Amino acid sequence: MYSIEQRVFLVLEYHRLERSPTATRRSFQKRFQKDPMQKPFARLFAKFERTSSVDDNRVGNVGARQTVVTPENVAKVSGIVQQNPTNTARRIASETGLKRSSTQKILKNSLRMFPYKLQSHQVIPIKAVRQRFDFANDILTMIDNEGFDVGCIWFTDEAHFHLNGFVN
């Protein structure tokens, strides 16, 4: 777009010529033998009014984004996980001083650890298997012999299993 010299000249001339864009364009053309483009010209003045600077907006924002997934941070998170594998991502984040999302990224991508939900499975006793088998046979004979209306049965997949063995 414009060099730093051209940007400074434009802003100084703009204010010297009492904020006249037309007069500033003419002065710029005489000095640099180059016609300033209208949109960047207007944006430069708006930016100067807003920030009091003619520096390029992109300075500091150019290049690859910085990441917190560094070998040091991966080693920190790995050490905490090895000490206590049941730590949550939030607790690990607070201990390391990293953001929770950064900690999750390290756990998932670098350490190949994934969140999970605890699932408990219980062995079905043989007595319960026999009871289920008998119940199924009784229902089938009732349907065949007694003309039991299957449409009167209401099936649901919701059940509550309590620790004392009670099933709702």
Side-chain angles (χ1 to χ4, degrees):
M1 190 172 106
Y2 302 118
S3 70
I4 189 73
E5 176 193 0
Q6 291 171 338
R7 283 184 269 172
V8 170
F9 176 80
L10 278 170
V11 170
L12 292 175
E13 283 294 297
Y14 182 69
H15 287 282
R16 185 181 69 80
L17 298 170
E18 299 173 4
R19 299 175 189 242
S20 169
T22 307
T24 306
R25 282 177 60 123
R26 288 183 187 138
S27 177
F28 184 87
Q29 285 173 329
K30 286 179 188 171
R31 170 87 187 264
F32 295 103
Q33 286 79 40
K34 177 179 170 182
D35 184 27
M37 296 177 283
Q38 186 64 34
K39 280 187 181 178
F41 183 73
R43 265 191 254 129
L44 179 67
F45 295 129
K47 179 182 179 292
F48 182 76
E49 294 292 327
R50 190 177 65 248
T51 64
S52 301
S53 173
V54 293
D55 283 341
D56 194 0
N57 279 341
R58 295 176 292 173
V59 174
N61 258 350
V62 179
R65 299 181 81 191
Q66 290 190 350
T67 179
V68 295
V69 183
T70 61
E72 295 84 25
N73 288 340
V74 171
K76 274 190 221 176
V77 171
S78 177
I80 291 173
V81 169
Q82 286 175 356
Q83 287 175 359
N84 187 0
T86 60
N87 266 350
T88 63
R90 287 176 191 236
R91 184 168 293 148
I92 294 169
S94 69
E95 289 179 22
T96 58
L98 299 171
K99 291 182 181 177
R100 184 174 48 89
S101 58
S102 301
T103 304
Q104 288 172 333
K105 194 179 293 183
I106 290 172
L107 287 169
K108 185 177 177 187
N109 298 336
S110 300
L111 300 178
R112 297 284 182 211
M113 299 180 84
F114 301 96
Y116 62 91
K117 292 183 180 178
L118 288 177
Q119 295 180 355
S120 62
H121 299 279
Q122 297 175 352
V123 178
I124 300 174
I126 293 177
K127 181 181 175 186
V129 172
R130 287 189 187 130
Q131 284 176 338
R132 289 179 183 190
F133 185 76
D134 292 342
F135 175 77
N137 282 332
D138 290 342
I139 292 294
L140 284 174
T141 55
M142 285 173 61
I143 291 171
D144 290 340
N145 297 340
E146 300 171 16
F148 185 77
D149 186 14
V150 181
C152 294
I153 302 175
W154 182 33
F155 292 98
T156 178
D157 60 351
E158 186 174 320
H160 298 279
F161 297 90
H162 299 272
L163 294 176
N164 63 3
F166 178 75
V167 178
N168 182 10

mmCIF file of all heavy atoms in Angstrom, residues 9-49:
data_model
loop_
_atom_site.group_PDB
_atom_site.id
_atom_site.type_symbol
_atom_site.label_atom_id
_atom_site.label_comp_id
_atom_site.label_asym_id
_atom_site.label_seq_id
_atom_site.Cartn_x
_atom_site.Cartn_y
_atom_site.Cartn_z
ATOM 1 N N PHE A 9 3.384 11.468 5.594
ATOM 2 C CA PHE A 9 3.138 12.653 4.766
ATOM 3 C C PHE A 9 1.641 12.888 4.587
ATOM 4 O O PHE A 9 1.147 14.007 4.727
ATOM 5 C CB PHE A 9 3.832 12.502 3.401
ATOM 6 C CG PHE A 9 3.534 13.634 2.464
ATOM 7 C CD1 PHE A 9 4.220 14.841 2.576
ATOM 8 C CD2 PHE A 9 2.554 13.518 1.491
ATOM 9 C CE1 PHE A 9 3.929 15.894 1.718
ATOM 10 C CE2 PHE A 9 2.264 14.567 0.638
ATOM 11 C CZ PHE A 9 2.960 15.758 0.748
ATOM 12 N N LEU A 10 0.919 11.833 4.269
ATOM 13 C CA LEU A 10 -0.525 11.961 4.053
ATOM 14 C C LEU A 10 -1.230 12.509 5.286
ATOM 15 O O LEU A 10 -2.052 13.428 5.200
ATOM 16 C CB LEU A 10 -1.132 10.612 3.675
ATOM 17 C CG LEU A 10 -1.015 10.208 2.215
ATOM 18 C CD1 LEU A 10 -1.436 8.765 2.031
ATOM 19 C CD2 LEU A 10 -1.844 11.120 1.341
ATOM 20 N N VAL A 11 -0.907 11.974 6.431
ATOM 21 C CA VAL A 11 -1.584 12.399 7.656
ATOM 22 C C VAL A 11 -1.228 13.843 8.000
ATOM 23 O O VAL A 11 -2.104 14.650 8.352
ATOM 24 C CB VAL A 11 -1.252 11.437 8.819
ATOM 25 C CG1 VAL A 11 -1.734 12.000 10.136
ATOM 26 C CG2 VAL A 11 -1.872 10.082 8.568
ATOM 27 N N LEU A 12 0.058 14.194 7.872
ATOM 28 C CA LEU A 12 0.465 15.570 8.172
ATOM 29 C C LEU A 12 -0.178 16.567 7.208
ATOM 30 O O LEU A 12 -0.671 17.625 7.618
ATOM 31 C CB LEU A 12 1.987 15.699 8.145
ATOM 32 C CG LEU A 12 2.737 14.965 9.260
ATOM 33 C CD1 LEU A 12 4.243 15.074 9.043
ATOM 34 C CD2 LEU A 12 2.340 15.524 10.613
ATOM 35 N N GLU A 13 -0.173 16.210 5.939
ATOM 36 C CA GLU A 13 -0.789 17.089 4.945
ATOM 37 C C GLU A 13 -2.289 17.204 5.169
ATOM 38 O O GLU A 13 -2.872 18.276 5.020
ATOM 39 C CB GLU A 13 -0.539 16.567 3.521
ATOM 40 C CG GLU A 13 0.838 16.846 3.001
ATOM 41 C CD GLU A 13 1.092 18.330 2.803
ATOM 42 O OE1 GLU A 13 0.411 18.962 1.978
ATOM 43 O OE2 GLU A 13 1.979 18.871 3.502
ATOM 44 N N TYR A 14 -2.899 16.110 5.514
ATOM 45 C CA TYR A 14 -4.345 16.096 5.751
ATOM 46 C C TYR A 14 -4.699 17.095 6.856
ATOM 47 O O TYR A 14 -5.650 17.872 6.731
ATOM 48 C CB TYR A 14 -4.777 14.675 6.129
ATOM 49 C CG TYR A 14 -6.257 14.493 6.365
ATOM 50 C CD1 TYR A 14 -7.153 14.584 5.313
ATOM 51 C CD2 TYR A 14 -6.758 14.213 7.625
ATOM 52 C CE1 TYR A 14 -8.508 14.403 5.517
ATOM 53 C CE2 TYR A 14 -8.106 14.028 7.845
ATOM 54 C CZ TYR A 14 -8.989 14.122 6.781
ATOM 55 O OH TYR A 14 -10.333 13.932 6.977
ATOM 56 N N HIS A 15 -3.934 17.088 7.919
ATOM 57 C CA HIS A 15 -4.213 18.010 9.014
ATOM 58 C C HIS A 15 -3.744 19.441 8.701
ATOM 59 O O HIS A 15 -4.386 20.412 9.108
ATOM 60 C CB HIS A 15 -3.591 17.496 10.311
ATOM 61 C CG HIS A 15 -4.335 16.331 10.861
ATOM 62 N ND1 HIS A 15 -5.523 16.476 11.533
ATOM 63 C CD2 HIS A 15 -4.106 14.994 10.806
ATOM 64 C CE1 HIS A 15 -5.990 15.298 11.882
ATOM 65 N NE2 HIS A 15 -5.152 14.366 11.452
ATOM 66 N N ARG A 16 -2.643 19.577 7.947
ATOM 67 C CA ARG A 16 -2.160 20.908 7.572
ATOM 68 C C ARG A 16 -3.156 21.599 6.651
ATOM 69 O O ARG A 16 -3.390 22.790 6.739
ATOM 70 C CB ARG A 16 -0.792 20.805 6.895
ATOM 71 C CG ARG A 16 -0.154 22.157 6.589
ATOM 72 C CD ARG A 16 1.184 21.997 5.905
ATOM 73 N NE ARG A 16 1.083 21.484 4.553
ATOM 74 C CZ ARG A 16 0.775 22.223 3.487
ATOM 75 N NH1 ARG A 16 0.522 23.502 3.598
ATOM 76 N NH2 ARG A 16 0.732 21.682 2.283
ATOM 77 N N LEU A 17 -3.772 20.815 5.774
ATOM 78 C CA LEU A 17 -4.719 21.373 4.804
ATOM 79 C C LEU A 17 -6.152 21.342 5.329
ATOM 80 O O LEU A 17 -7.107 21.252 4.563
ATOM 81 C CB LEU A 17 -4.617 20.610 3.483
ATOM 82 C CG LEU A 17 -3.248 20.705 2.804
ATOM 83 C CD1 LEU A 17 -3.148 19.740 1.643
ATOM 84 C CD2 LEU A 17 -2.989 22.125 2.337
ATOM 85 N N GLU A 18 -6.289 21.384 6.637
ATOM 86 C CA GLU A 18 -7.588 21.482 7.301
ATOM 87 C C GLU A 18 -8.533 20.341 6.922
ATOM 88 O O GLU A 18 -9.692 20.544 6.586
ATOM 89 C CB GLU A 18 -8.231 22.846 7.027
ATOM 90 C CG GLU A 18 -7.396 23.984 7.557
ATOM 91 C CD GLU A 18 -7.933 25.340 7.151
ATOM 92 O OE1 GLU A 18 -9.000 25.403 6.520
ATOM 93 O OE2 GLU A 18 -7.274 26.325 7.467
ATOM 94 N N ARG A 19 -8.012 19.128 6.922
ATOM 95 C CA ARG A 19 -8.772 17.894 6.701
ATOM 96 C C ARG A 19 -9.498 17.873 5.365
ATOM 97 O O ARG A 19 -10.609 17.394 5.259
ATOM 98 C CB ARG A 19 -9.762 17.655 7.844
ATOM 99 C CG ARG A 19 -9.068 17.505 9.171
ATOM 100 C CD ARG A 19 -10.048 17.387 10.284
ATOM 101 N NE ARG A 19 -9.338 17.464 11.557
ATOM 102 C CZ ARG A 19 -9.310 16.500 12.446
ATOM 103 N NH1 ARG A 19 -9.943 15.381 12.235
ATOM 104 N NH2 ARG A 19 -8.645 16.667 13.553
ATOM 105 N N SER A 20 -8.835 18.353 4.369
ATOM 106 C CA SER A 20 -9.405 18.349 3.022
ATOM 107 C C SER A 20 -8.820 17.171 2.246
ATOM 108 O O SER A 20 -7.644 17.191 1.870
ATOM 109 C CB SER A 20 -9.074 19.654 2.299
ATOM 110 O OG SER A 20 -9.402 19.536 0.937
ATOM 111 N N PRO A 21 -9.620 16.133 1.991
ATOM 112 C CA PRO A 21 -9.098 14.979 1.250
ATOM 113 C C PRO A 21 -8.630 15.347 -0.154
ATOM 114 O O PRO A 21 -7.610 14.844 -0.632
ATOM 115 C CB PRO A 21 -10.279 14.012 1.194
ATOM 116 C CG PRO A 21 -11.216 14.465 2.251
ATOM 117 C CD PRO A 21 -10.992 15.919 2.425
ATOM 118 N N THR A 22 -9.339 16.217 -0.819
ATOM 119 C CA THR A 22 -8.979 16.586 -2.196
ATOM 120 C C THR A 22 -7.636 17.303 -2.231
ATOM 121 O O THR A 22 -6.759 16.968 -3.041
ATOM 122 C CB THR A 22 -10.076 17.487 -2.803
ATOM 123 O OG1 THR A 22 -11.331 16.831 -2.660
ATOM 124 C CG2 THR A 22 -9.818 17.741 -4.271
ATOM 125 N N ALA A 23 -7.462 18.282 -1.364
ATOM 126 C CA ALA A 23 -6.190 19.019 -1.328
ATOM 127 C C ALA A 23 -5.048 18.084 -0.929
ATOM 128 O O ALA A 23 -3.926 18.197 -1.455
ATOM 129 C CB ALA A 23 -6.293 20.193 -0.356
ATOM 130 N N THR A 24 -5.304 17.155 -0.035
ATOM 131 C CA THR A 24 -4.269 16.206 0.395
ATOM 132 C C THR A 24 -3.871 15.289 -0.759
ATOM 133 O O THR A 24 -2.688 15.014 -0.965
ATOM 134 C CB THR A 24 -4.770 15.373 1.582
ATOM 135 O OG1 THR A 24 -5.216 16.249 2.603
ATOM 136 C CG2 THR A 24 -3.683 14.480 2.126
ATOM 137 N N ARG A 25 -4.850 14.846 -1.552
ATOM 138 C CA ARG A 25 -4.541 13.988 -2.711
ATOM 139 C C ARG A 25 -3.669 14.733 -3.710
ATOM 140 O O ARG A 25 -2.708 14.180 -4.259
ATOM 141 C CB ARG A 25 -5.826 13.521 -3.393
ATOM 142 C CG ARG A 25 -6.518 12.396 -2.687
ATOM 143 C CD ARG A 25 -7.807 12.046 -3.389
ATOM 144 N NE ARG A 25 -7.535 11.636 -4.754
ATOM 145 C CZ ARG A 25 -7.892 10.466 -5.262
ATOM 146 N NH1 ARG A 25 -8.553 9.612 -4.527
ATOM 147 N NH2 ARG A 25 -7.616 10.155 -6.501
ATOM 148 N N ARG A 26 -4.008 15.975 -3.969
ATOM 149 C CA ARG A 26 -3.232 16.776 -4.939
ATOM 150 C C ARG A 26 -1.793 16.967 -4.445
ATOM 151 O O ARG A 26 -0.839 16.845 -5.212
ATOM 152 C CB ARG A 26 -3.904 18.120 -5.159
ATOM 153 C CG ARG A 26 -5.173 18.018 -5.957
ATOM 154 C CD ARG A 26 -5.773 19.386 -6.229
ATOM 155 N NE ARG A 26 -7.067 19.223 -6.855
ATOM 156 C CZ ARG A 26 -8.141 19.921 -6.557
ATOM 157 N NH1 ARG A 26 -8.073 20.876 -5.629
ATOM 158 N NH2 ARG A 26 -9.282 19.712 -7.174
ATOM 159 N N SER A 27 -1.642 17.259 -3.163
ATOM 160 C CA SER A 27 -0.312 17.457 -2.596
ATOM 161 C C SER A 27 0.498 16.160 -2.670
ATOM 162 O O SER A 27 1.690 16.178 -2.979
ATOM 163 C CB SER A 27 -0.446 17.922 -1.149
ATOM 164 O OG SER A 27 0.805 18.053 -0.555
ATOM 165 N N PHE A 28 -0.144 15.032 -2.406
ATOM 166 C CA PHE A 28 0.521 13.729 -2.479
ATOM 167 C C PHE A 28 0.981 13.445 -3.908
ATOM 168 O O PHE A 28 2.088 12.958 -4.128
ATOM 169 C CB PHE A 28 -0.445 12.636 -1.991
ATOM 170 C CG PHE A 28 0.172 11.276 -1.926
ATOM 171 C CD1 PHE A 28 0.851 10.858 -0.786
ATOM 172 C CD2 PHE A 28 0.065 10.393 -2.981
ATOM 173 C CE1 PHE A 28 1.409 9.600 -0.711
ATOM 174 C CE2 PHE A 28 0.627 9.130 -2.926
ATOM 175 C CZ PHE A 28 1.304 8.735 -1.782
ATOM 176 N N GLN A 29 0.119 13.765 -4.904
ATOM 177 C CA GLN A 29 0.478 13.525 -6.306
ATOM 178 C C GLN A 29 1.690 14.356 -6.715
ATOM 179 O O GLN A 29 2.557 13.877 -7.441
ATOM 180 C CB GLN A 29 -0.710 13.852 -7.224
ATOM 181 C CG GLN A 29 -1.800 12.807 -7.191
ATOM 182 C CD GLN A 29 -3.031 13.240 -7.971
ATOM 183 O OE1 GLN A 29 -3.338 14.420 -8.066
ATOM 184 N NE2 GLN A 29 -3.736 12.259 -8.529
ATOM 185 N N LYS A 30 1.753 15.604 -6.258
ATOM 186 C CA LYS A 30 2.900 16.459 -6.597
ATOM 187 C C LYS A 30 4.182 15.915 -5.979
ATOM 188 O O LYS A 30 5.231 15.904 -6.612
ATOM 189 C CB LYS A 30 2.657 17.884 -6.095
ATOM 190 C CG LYS A 30 1.668 18.657 -6.907
ATOM 191 C CD LYS A 30 1.491 20.048 -6.319
ATOM 192 C CE LYS A 30 0.343 20.761 -7.008
ATOM 193 N NZ LYS A 30 -0.002 22.018 -6.332
ATOM 194 N N ARG A 31 4.087 15.460 -4.734
ATOM 195 C CA ARG A 31 5.287 15.026 -4.012
ATOM 196 C C ARG A 31 5.796 13.675 -4.503
ATOM 197 O O ARG A 31 6.986 13.484 -4.715
ATOM 198 C CB ARG A 31 4.967 14.956 -2.517
ATOM 199 C CG ARG A 31 6.024 14.309 -1.660
ATOM 200 C CD ARG A 31 7.066 15.333 -1.221
ATOM 201 N NE ARG A 31 8.164 14.715 -0.529
ATOM 202 C CZ ARG A 31 8.260 14.630 0.786
ATOM 203 N NH1 ARG A 31 7.333 15.149 1.542
ATOM 204 N NH2 ARG A 31 9.307 14.056 1.323
ATOM 205 N N PHE A 32 4.922 12.697 -4.716
ATOM 206 C CA PHE A 32 5.355 11.323 -5.031
ATOM 207 C C PHE A 32 5.070 10.906 -6.469
ATOM 208 O O PHE A 32 5.345 9.772 -6.840
ATOM 209 C CB PHE A 32 4.680 10.335 -4.068
ATOM 210 C CG PHE A 32 5.101 10.517 -2.635
ATOM 211 C CD1 PHE A 32 4.272 11.156 -1.729
ATOM 212 C CD2 PHE A 32 6.341 10.072 -2.207
ATOM 213 C CE1 PHE A 32 4.653 11.334 -0.414
ATOM 214 C CE2 PHE A 32 6.731 10.246 -0.888
ATOM 215 C CZ PHE A 32 5.889 10.888 0.011
ATOM 216 N N GLN A 33 4.510 11.790 -7.293
ATOM 217 C CA GLN A 33 4.140 11.480 -8.679
ATOM 218 C C GLN A 33 3.339 10.167 -8.744
ATOM 219 O O GLN A 33 3.568 9.298 -9.584
ATOM 220 C CB GLN A 33 5.372 11.349 -9.602
ATOM 221 C CG GLN A 33 6.043 12.657 -9.952
ATOM 222 C CD GLN A 33 6.933 13.149 -8.830
ATOM 223 O OE1 GLN A 33 7.624 12.384 -8.191
ATOM 224 N NE2 GLN A 33 6.911 14.449 -8.588
ATOM 225 N N LYS A 34 2.396 10.056 -7.850
ATOM 226 C CA LYS A 34 1.594 8.830 -7.748
ATOM 227 C C LYS A 34 0.222 9.218 -7.205
ATOM 228 O O LYS A 34 0.121 9.997 -6.258
ATOM 229 C CB LYS A 34 2.301 7.862 -6.792
ATOM 230 C CG LYS A 34 1.599 6.590 -6.517
ATOM 231 C CD LYS A 34 2.463 5.765 -5.570
ATOM 232 C CE LYS A 34 1.707 4.577 -5.059
ATOM 233 N NZ LYS A 34 2.487 3.803 -4.113
ATOM 234 N N ASP A 35 -0.803 8.687 -7.849
ATOM 235 C CA ASP A 35 -2.161 9.008 -7.408
ATOM 236 C C ASP A 35 -2.564 8.039 -6.295
ATOM 237 O O ASP A 35 -2.582 6.827 -6.502
ATOM 238 C CB ASP A 35 -3.133 8.878 -8.585
ATOM 239 C CG ASP A 35 -4.538 9.293 -8.200
ATOM 240 O OD1 ASP A 35 -4.683 10.114 -7.274
ATOM 241 O OD2 ASP A 35 -5.491 8.801 -8.830
ATOM 242 N N PRO A 36 -2.878 8.544 -5.087
ATOM 243 C CA PRO A 36 -3.288 7.627 -4.013
ATOM 244 C C PRO A 36 -4.665 7.043 -4.299
ATOM 245 O O PRO A 36 -5.546 7.726 -4.798
ATOM 246 C CB PRO A 36 -3.311 8.517 -2.773
ATOM 247 C CG PRO A 36 -3.511 9.891 -3.288
ATOM 248 C CD PRO A 36 -2.889 9.923 -4.658
ATOM 249 N N MET A 37 -4.814 5.780 -3.998
ATOM 250 C CA MET A 37 -6.106 5.131 -4.208
ATOM 251 C C MET A 37 -7.099 5.644 -3.176
ATOM 252 O O MET A 37 -6.734 5.916 -2.026
ATOM 253 C CB MET A 37 -5.948 3.613 -4.097
ATOM 254 C CG MET A 37 -5.052 3.028 -5.176
ATOM 255 S SD MET A 37 -4.812 1.273 -4.962
ATOM 256 C CE MET A 37 -3.628 1.254 -3.645
ATOM 257 N N GLN A 38 -8.356 5.742 -3.575
ATOM 258 C CA GLN A 38 -9.360 6.386 -2.740
ATOM 259 C C GLN A 38 -9.639 5.620 -1.446
ATOM 260 O O GLN A 38 -9.629 6.192 -0.369
ATOM 261 C CB GLN A 38 -10.661 6.540 -3.542
ATOM 262 C CG GLN A 38 -11.737 7.330 -2.827
ATOM 263 C CD GLN A 38 -11.334 8.782 -2.587
ATOM 264 O OE1 GLN A 38 -10.636 9.380 -3.387
ATOM 265 N NE2 GLN A 38 -11.749 9.336 -1.469
ATOM 266 N N LYS A 39 -9.888 4.279 -1.535
ATOM 267 C CA LYS A 39 -10.273 3.530 -0.335
ATOM 268 C C LYS A 39 -9.150 3.458 0.700
ATOM 269 O O LYS A 39 -9.374 3.767 1.867
ATOM 270 C CB LYS A 39 -10.753 2.124 -0.705
ATOM 271 C CG LYS A 39 -12.175 2.095 -1.190
ATOM 272 C CD LYS A 39 -12.644 0.681 -1.364
ATOM 273 C CE LYS A 39 -14.071 0.669 -1.866
ATOM 274 N NZ LYS A 39 -14.550 -0.678 -2.081
ATOM 275 N N PRO A 40 -7.926 3.056 0.313
ATOM 276 C CA PRO A 40 -6.862 3.029 1.321
ATOM 277 C C PRO A 40 -6.586 4.419 1.904
ATOM 278 O O PRO A 40 -6.254 4.562 3.070
ATOM 279 C CB PRO A 40 -5.645 2.509 0.568
ATOM 280 C CG PRO A 40 -6.185 1.798 -0.597
ATOM 281 C CD PRO A 40 -7.471 2.481 -0.935
ATOM 282 N N PHE A 41 -6.740 5.433 1.073
ATOM 283 C CA PHE A 41 -6.544 6.811 1.486
ATOM 284 C C PHE A 41 -7.533 7.161 2.598
ATOM 285 O O PHE A 41 -7.156 7.661 3.657
ATOM 286 C CB PHE A 41 -6.764 7.676 0.232
ATOM 287 C CG PHE A 41 -6.535 9.132 0.403
ATOM 288 C CD1 PHE A 41 -5.253 9.638 0.538
ATOM 289 C CD2 PHE A 41 -7.599 10.023 0.381
ATOM 290 C CE1 PHE A 41 -5.042 10.995 0.666
ATOM 291 C CE2 PHE A 41 -7.393 11.372 0.502
ATOM 292 C CZ PHE A 41 -6.111 11.868 0.645
ATOM 293 N N ALA A 42 -8.791 6.862 2.395
ATOM 294 C CA ALA A 42 -9.830 7.163 3.391
ATOM 295 C C ALA A 42 -9.643 6.304 4.644
ATOM 296 O O ALA A 42 -9.825 6.781 5.767
ATOM 297 C CB ALA A 42 -11.205 6.924 2.787
ATOM 298 N N ARG A 43 -9.262 5.027 4.457
ATOM 299 C CA ARG A 43 -9.047 4.129 5.603
ATOM 300 C C ARG A 43 -7.885 4.601 6.473
ATOM 301 O O ARG A 43 -7.933 4.493 7.694
ATOM 302 C CB ARG A 43 -8.782 2.705 5.123
ATOM 303 C CG ARG A 43 -10.037 1.869 5.099
ATOM 304 C CD ARG A 43 -9.731 0.405 4.875
ATOM 305 N NE ARG A 43 -10.115 0.114 3.504
ATOM 306 C CZ ARG A 43 -9.364 -0.472 2.594
ATOM 307 N NH1 ARG A 43 -8.167 -0.882 2.900
ATOM 308 N NH2 ARG A 43 -9.788 -0.666 1.376
ATOM 309 N N LEU A 44 -6.847 5.123 5.819
ATOM 310 C CA LEU A 44 -5.681 5.597 6.565
ATOM 311 C C LEU A 44 -6.070 6.757 7.479
ATOM 312 O O LEU A 44 -5.684 6.795 8.649
ATOM 313 C CB LEU A 44 -4.571 6.030 5.602
ATOM 314 C CG LEU A 44 -3.304 6.571 6.262
ATOM 315 C CD1 LEU A 44 -2.585 5.467 7.015
ATOM 316 C CD2 LEU A 44 -2.392 7.171 5.221
ATOM 317 N N PHE A 45 -6.862 7.687 6.976
ATOM 318 C CA PHE A 45 -7.294 8.816 7.805
ATOM 319 C C PHE A 45 -8.217 8.361 8.922
ATOM 320 O O PHE A 45 -8.105 8.823 10.059
ATOM 321 C CB PHE A 45 -7.961 9.892 6.958
ATOM 322 C CG PHE A 45 -7.018 10.536 5.992
ATOM 323 C CD1 PHE A 45 -7.341 10.642 4.660
ATOM 324 C CD2 PHE A 45 -5.790 11.020 6.412
ATOM 325 C CE1 PHE A 45 -6.469 11.227 3.771
ATOM 326 C CE2 PHE A 45 -4.907 11.609 5.529
ATOM 327 C CZ PHE A 45 -5.249 11.712 4.193
ATOM 328 N N ALA A 46 -9.128 7.453 8.602
ATOM 329 C CA ALA A 46 -10.042 6.950 9.638
ATOM 330 C C ALA A 46 -9.255 6.234 10.730
ATOM 331 O O ALA A 46 -9.528 6.400 11.925
ATOM 332 C CB ALA A 46 -11.067 6.015 9.017
ATOM 333 N N LYS A 47 -8.246 5.453 10.323
ATOM 334 C CA LYS A 47 -7.429 4.733 11.299
ATOM 335 C C LYS A 47 -6.632 5.713 12.151
ATOM 336 O O LYS A 47 -6.518 5.545 13.363
ATOM 337 C CB LYS A 47 -6.479 3.776 10.595
ATOM 338 C CG LYS A 47 -5.588 3.016 11.545
ATOM 339 C CD LYS A 47 -4.649 2.133 10.770
ATOM 340 C CE LYS A 47 -3.735 1.391 11.691
ATOM 341 N NZ LYS A 47 -2.779 2.220 12.371
ATOM 342 N N PHE A 48 -6.098 6.757 11.522
ATOM 343 C CA PHE A 48 -5.331 7.736 12.285
ATOM 344 C C PHE A 48 -6.226 8.463 13.293
ATOM 345 O O PHE A 48 -5.823 8.704 14.428
ATOM 346 C CB PHE A 48 -4.658 8.741 11.347
ATOM 347 C CG PHE A 48 -3.818 9.736 12.086
ATOM 348 C CD1 PHE A 48 -2.578 9.369 12.576
ATOM 349 C CD2 PHE A 48 -4.273 11.021 12.319
ATOM 350 C CE1 PHE A 48 -1.794 10.268 13.280
ATOM 351 C CE2 PHE A 48 -3.501 11.934 13.019
ATOM 352 C CZ PHE A 48 -2.256 11.557 13.496
ATOM 353 N N GLU A 49 -7.431 8.788 12.883
ATOM 354 C CA GLU A 49 -8.372 9.446 13.803
ATOM 355 C C GLU A 49 -8.710 8.526 14.975
ATOM 356 O O GLU A 49 -8.859 8.956 16.103
ATOM 357 C CB GLU A 49 -9.662 9.838 13.068
ATOM 358 C CG GLU A 49 -9.473 10.896 12.003
ATOM 359 C CD GLU A 49 -9.102 12.253 12.573
ATOM 360 O OE1 GLU A 49 -9.560 12.586 13.676
ATOM 361 O OE2 GLU A 49 -8.344 12.978 11.903
#
